[in-house]
Amino acid sequence: YLSAGSRLRLEAAFSFLLLLAGAQALVPSHRLAARDLARLRAVLERPLTDVRSAYYSIVGLNSLGLRVADEKAACKFIKSHVDSSSVESLFYAAQSIQVLSGCEVTISNETRELLLAAVSEDSSVTQIFHAVGALSGFGLPLASQEALSALTARLSKEESVLTTIQALETASYLSQQADLSSIVEEIEDLVARLDDLGGVYLQFEEGIETTALFVAAAYKLSDHVGTEPAIKEDQVIQLVNAIFSKKNFETLSEAFSVARAAGSLSQNRFHLPLIVVPDGPAAVSHHQPLLRLQVTNVMSQLLTQVSVKLDQAKSVSNKATVLQQLPFTLSGDFFELNFMSVKPASGYYDFSISVDGDKRFIANKVELKVKVSTEVGITNVDLSTVDKDQSIAPKTTRVAYPAKAKGSFIADSHQNFALSFQLIDVNSGAELIPHQTFVRLHNQKTGQEVVFVAEPDSKNVYKFELDTSERKTEFDSASGTYTLYLIIGDATLENPILWNVADVVITFPEEDAPSTVQSKNLFVPKPEIQHLFREPEKRPPTVVSNTFTALVLSPLLLLLILWIKIGANISNFSFAPSTIVFHMGHAAMLGLMYVYWTQLNMFQTLKYLAILGGITFLAGNRMLAQKAVKR
Amino acid sequence: MAGSVRAVARRFLSEYGGGTAGRLKALDAFLLYVLLTGALQFGYCLGVGTFPFNSFLSGFISAVGSFILGAVCLRIQINPQNKGEFQGISPERAFADFLFANTILHLVVINFVG
């Protein structure tokens, strides 16, 4: 097991190697900014309602380095509201009184006995924690070794994140003579239980409040025993991100936990997370050549007893190192560096900054993207009309920004209009290629505008040519006088340009000119779609179908005639009951068929058919049997 | 040629009239009726069109089915000249079968006629 000092040296060497490898170290993305602190204070400074809220307010504000508004009133409040029969209430009172200045209280013997009795294996971890805290807060003697054994015994039975955190805090009240190493090892176990969210946040699944209480308790115990807590640098940063991502504090206990975490992360013996804050956007220019930074801790308290150094500054576009190993100078609250002194080209630069001064610093190597802005100038602006047949030499007119060219230029079927210019950095004279170089032609009469992009050639000279026959679709073949504008813009330019350069009279061939120029309005109602319903099938006229119905029924007539002719009769009809039932049943079945056609479905029909069919079958059976016998 | 056809037809009719029992003749009249009905339905369909097709099918199948049941099942089994072929089936039994089969056929027909 390495001692704290050599371990730190090893970590420093490792961080240096990481920097050489160009690895990005984790930096805090959240902190308690001034606004957040104000909100936290507002919650903690609410009027006191009971001893517990008094404890949260008083101790919470103390962690932030603030004091309660009226300490005497708070002291009186606690003394009147404390419940001497409750260990928890005594704990809150004791801890609050310890923080308030000039607040004295006498403890009766009964109270002392109560507290001492609570420190045993029969009480829960929370009760032991409150009892030990109360005894310590009142300044009463306490048997540390017995308390420790009770605590460890109880902890093995009640294993949870919250009880372990309470055990850590309890141990911080016990004497250093006792062997607190078993409790200190719990820190490592708890760290293993933290959930890593995206590599940025580290928190318990129980929530931010528990995570904040853990941080406070871990550092309190570590400070007490003098051992560095088993939390890695990156993990500390992730804890910072998680705890200070909460900006709204609904309950007092939440606010209290965040305040204590903030306090412990700003003042402990081992780890101090740093935050490097640029003044406004990290941008420099000729008007503002200084890059100004502030170095704060998690509570936005300024740290000025540090040294800030630029390790290297590299251009993003060509990866060339522009500056190396330059210290920042402290001016008031800010650390400043004059970047423009090396005359950097405009663009973005990656700054690697390191902050030193204390071995406890964490996240003291920061990467910052700095923008260097400049001003653009347009030079060598040449407007010319080029004859298509190339029989006449092109006429060139030079214009200087911001003047407008006198007279108008003509572009028609014989002549093309051409524009060329160069863009330079006003301060350095270097050629610039901004992101936006547009040529805008605006029809004065119809309000149409067409925008083209001017492209640079190999020598970084921008050229634009207007050929009426090629470009007539963009213009909708609308001839007329157009105003030409040049638009230059970029993120690194301080002076974007909109320049009315000249007027151009464009004439398109007559046969393509539309009668009226319609503005392409995309938002007019479109033609209505008529839904075509399915055409019903073609039916024959009613006369035809009625005729055929009569025709189809005519064979029935023929049948009756034939039967009469043959001599079929019903003379053999016997009026036996089975015969009657059979014929009735059969007739009913035929009737059922008709009803099925008009009303019923298959299932209902089958049901009735089963009944009728059964009756008819039995009757018919009897009838036919009788007939057979008669024969 | 025409003469021999007429002679055959006359001979057939006289033999038929004499040699067939009254019951069978009544049944034959029924079968003729069913045949004509089916033929007329088919003619309508050819002439005017198949709409609605399901009604045409059900009507036509009813005609065809009834004809087959009447001619093949009932008539054959009732004919006394065929008694040797159908030993165990009495005319009453044949008639009962005819009725049963017709019921099922017309159940389907009515379902389909729409």
Side-chain angles (χ1 to χ4, degrees):
Chain A
Y1 183 77
L2 295 166
S3 72
S6 56
R7 190 154 159 202
L8 272 171
R9 269 196 285 277
L10 195 64
E11 280 183 345
F14 184 60
S15 315
F16 181 64
L17 281 170
L18 270 181
L19 189 67
L20 282 184
Q24 281 264 28
L26 196 58
V27 209
S29 48
H30 294 284
R31 63 186 167 111
L32 272 184
R35 276 196 304 265
D36 310 319
L37 262 174
R39 247 180 267 134
L40 196 55
R41 265 187 86 160
V43 176
L44 289 172
E45 281 174 351
R46 282 194 208 140
L48 310 174
T49 49
D50 59 2
V51 193
R52 188 168 171 183
S53 74
Y55 162 69
Y56 285 147
S57 297
I58 296 169
V59 180
L61 284 169
N62 182 51
S63 307
L64 295 176
L66 305 164
R67 308 222 66 91
V68 180
D70 188 348
E71 295 204 337
K72 276 203 173 29
C75 187
K76 229 193 321 209
F77 178 89
I78 292 171
K79 284 203 242 190
S80 57
H81 280 78
V82 69
D83 176 9
S84 300
S85 58
S86 151
V87 179
E88 191 178 338
S89 178
L90 287 166
F91 165 75
Y92 294 138
Q95 292 291 316
S96 312
I97 288 172
Q98 207 183 20
V99 168
L100 294 170
S101 59
C103 195
E104 301 282 340
V105 68
T106 44
I107 309 298
S108 67
N109 275 341
E110 297 167 333
T111 318
R112 198 165 60 127
E113 293 304 318
L114 175 70
L115 290 175
L116 284 170
V119 182
S120 82
E121 271 186 42
D122 303 321
S123 323
S124 69
V125 173
T126 314
Q127 282 177 315
I128 299 177
F129 162 56
H130 286 151
V132 171
L135 285 166
S136 161
F138 289 133
L140 297 170
L142 164 67
S144 289
Q145 196 57 47
E146 285 155 28
L148 180 64
S149 50
L151 187 64
T152 29
R154 207 57 219 179
L155 193 60
S156 56
K157 288 193 209 130
E158 285 177 57
E159 264 263 51
S160 86
V161 172
L162 198 57
T163 52
T164 317
I165 294 175
Q166 286 177 333
L168 293 177
E169 277 222 50
T170 315
S172 70
Y173 297 122
L174 300 174
S175 153
Q176 282 167 321
Q177 310 291 337
D179 181 17
L180 301 169
S181 55
S182 62
I183 307 290
V184 175
E185 276 162 17
E186 295 289 343
I187 297 181
E188 209 171 330
D189 293 341
L190 279 179
V191 170
R193 286 167 83 152
L194 287 162
D195 293 327
D196 185 330
L197 303 174
V200 178
Y201 302 100
L202 205 59
Q203 62 184 67
F204 285 114
E205 63 178 4
E206 283 85 352
I208 303 236
E209 193 177 326
T210 316
T211 315
L213 286 175
F214 161 67
V215 167
Y219 281 103
K220 189 166 175 194
L221 181 59
S222 302
D223 281 353
H224 184 64
V225 297
T227 330
E228 188 178 348
I231 312 177
K232 299 205 230 344
E233 271 196 35
D234 274 354
Q235 289 175 322
V236 178
I237 304 302
Q238 287 178 306
L239 284 166
V240 166
N241 287 339
I243 295 170
F244 301 118
S245 66
K246 197 162 188 43
K247 304 295 187 187
N248 274 311
F249 311 103
E250 287 134 18
T251 63
L252 192 53
S253 59
E254 237 171 36
F256 166 73
S257 66
V258 173
R260 283 207 55 203
S264 61
L265 284 169
S266 325
Q267 275 187 325
N268 65 72
R269 284 163 63 181
F270 302 101
H271 298 147
L272 275 188
L274 277 188
I275 296 157
V276 174
V277 184
D279 181 29
V284 292
S285 67
H286 271 273
H287 308 292
Q288 170 47 293
L290 297 172
L291 179 66
R292 284 148 63 91
L293 302 173
Q294 276 186 315
V295 179
T296 71
N297 61 12
V298 290
M299 284 206 309
S300 297
Q301 288 170 333
L302 288 176
L303 302 170
T304 45
Q305 309 295 332
V306 299
S307 70
V308 183
K309 196 175 61 162
L310 170 68
D311 288 328
Q312 60 175 343
K314 283 212 294 210
S315 156
V316 171
S317 48
N318 59 9
K319 306 268 182 271
T321 307
V322 178
L323 265 188
Q324 280 195 76
Q325 304 297 326
L326 203 61
F328 280 70
T329 45
L330 177 63
S331 148
D333 287 337
F334 292 91
F335 289 90
E336 294 176 344
L337 181 78
N338 188 335
F339 189 42
M340 294 308 283
S341 58
V342 292
K343 301 206 186 315
S346 65
Y348 287 92
Y349 292 85
D350 281 327
F351 274 42
S352 303
I353 298 169
S354 63
V355 181
D356 294 304
D358 195 320
K359 283 199 294 278
R360 296 175 292 166
F361 285 157
I362 295 186
N364 56 340
K365 302 241 182 292
V366 183
E367 301 279 323
L368 200 63
K369 213 178 200 71
V370 179
K371 179 170 85 169
V372 176
S373 310
T374 185
E375 287 165 336
V376 70
I378 316 183
T379 59
N380 302 341
V381 185
D382 286 325
L383 301 160
S384 42
T385 43
V386 181
D387 198 68
K388 273 201 200 160
D389 308 327
Q390 311 206 327
S391 53
I392 314 171
K395 260 188 321 150
T396 309
T397 314
R398 172 148 291 197
V399 194
Y401 175 72
K404 183 166 170 174
K406 295 196 225 337
S408 42
F409 295 80
I410 302 185
D412 55 21
S413 46
H414 305 295
Q415 301 161 17
N416 289 349
F417 171 77
L419 167 69
S420 79
F421 56 93
Q422 267 187 301
L423 297 171
I424 54 157
D425 184 335
V426 164
N427 299 305
S428 68
E431 286 155 352
L432 282 181
I433 310 284
H435 289 156
Q436 298 172 325
T437 51
F438 301 136
V439 176
R440 172 176 175 248
L441 289 152
H442 181 231
N443 188 326
Q444 289 164 349
K445 212 166 29 157
T446 65
Q448 266 180 302
E449 69 173 22
V450 189
V451 182
F452 298 100
V453 180
E455 307 265 343
D457 64 10
S458 51
K459 296 207 241 341
N460 285 343
V461 177
Y462 281 87
K463 284 199 167 45
F464 166 72
E465 192 156 328
L466 181 63
D467 186 342
T468 52
S469 49
E470 279 173 16
R471 301 281 190 197
K472 60 173 186 256
T473 41
E474 278 99 335
F475 285 90
D476 267 347
S477 299
S479 312
T481 313
Y482 284 80
T483 324
L484 187 106
Y485 292 89
L486 197 57
I487 302 175
I488 310 288
D490 191 89
T492 55
L493 289 183
E494 290 189 314
N495 60 334
I497 290 177
L498 175 66
W499 177 26
N500 185 348
V501 183
D503 289 327
V504 184
V505 180
I506 307 182
T507 315
F508 292 97
E510 273 306 316
E511 64 265 13
D512 301 324
S515 48
T516 48
V517 177
Q518 297 158 319
S519 60
K520 282 209 190 76
N521 196 356
L522 297 167
F523 303 105
V524 292
K526 296 248 185 347
E528 201 173 319
I529 305 172
Q530 295 289 359
H531 178 76
L532 275 175
F533 287 100
R534 189 165 150 256
E535 302 268 342
E537 289 222 21
K538 250 182 35 169
R539 289 182 141 179
T542 328
V543 181
V544 176
S545 48
N546 285 347
T547 315
F548 267 97
T549 312
L551 205 57
V552 159
L553 290 173
S554 58
L556 191 63
L557 207 63
L558 179 67
L559 177 67
L560 289 170
I561 295 170
L562 279 176
W563 269 353
I564 291 168
K565 219 173 120 204
I566 290 168
N569 52 25
I570 51 171
S571 53
N572 247 347
F573 195 79
S574 59
F575 283 92
S578 53
T579 318
I580 297 175
V581 172
F582 166 75
H583 280 103
M584 300 288 276
H586 192 225
M589 272 162 66
L590 293 174
L592 178 66
M593 286 294 139
Y594 176 75
V595 177
Y596 175 31
W597 182 36
T598 50
Q599 285 173 359
L600 303 172
N601 63 34
M602 178 67 98
F603 300 104
Q604 292 165 314
T605 313
L606 282 177
K607 189 172 60 180
Y608 295 133
L609 196 65
I611 301 166
L612 287 175
I615 297 168
T616 313
F617 173 72
L618 290 171
N621 207 11
R622 173 86 61 80
M623 178 192 82
L624 287 175
Q626 287 171 352
K627 262 235 158 69
V629 161
K630 245 197 271 181
R631 206 164 34 87
Chain B
M1 193 67 220
S4 55
V5 169
R6 239 184 291 143
V8 166
R10 237 182 302 152
R11 177 85 191 269
F12 167 73
L13 279 173
S14 61
E15 287 244 6
Y16 177 78
T20 328
R23 220 165 22 169
L24 287 178
K25 277 201 247 188
L27 186 56
D28 285 339
F30 175 70
L31 291 177
L32 180 67
Y33 152 68
V34 170
L35 182 77
L36 283 176
T37 311
L40 277 172
Q41 280 182 348
F42 191 69
Y44 171 87
C45 195
L46 283 179
V48 186
T50 57
F51 182 80
F53 195 55
N54 59 311
S55 311
F56 159 67
L57 271 184
S58 82
F60 194 64
I61 283 171
S62 164
V64 169
S66 304
F67 185 84
I68 289 170
L69 285 174
V72 175
C73 306
L74 193 57
R75 198 177 188 284
I76 285 180
Q77 291 176 349
I78 282 182
N79 205 344
Q81 290 164 340
N82 287 346
K83 216 169 179 158
E85 315 266 338
F86 301 100
Q87 280 289 356
I89 305 172
S90 60
E92 285 75 27
R93 169 74 196 278
F95 181 65
D97 286 342
F98 170 72
L99 281 184
F100 179 65
N102 253 318
T103 309
I104 295 179
L105 172 71
H106 283 91
L107 192 68
V108 174
V109 159
I110 299 289
N111 186 31
F112 203 49
V113 78

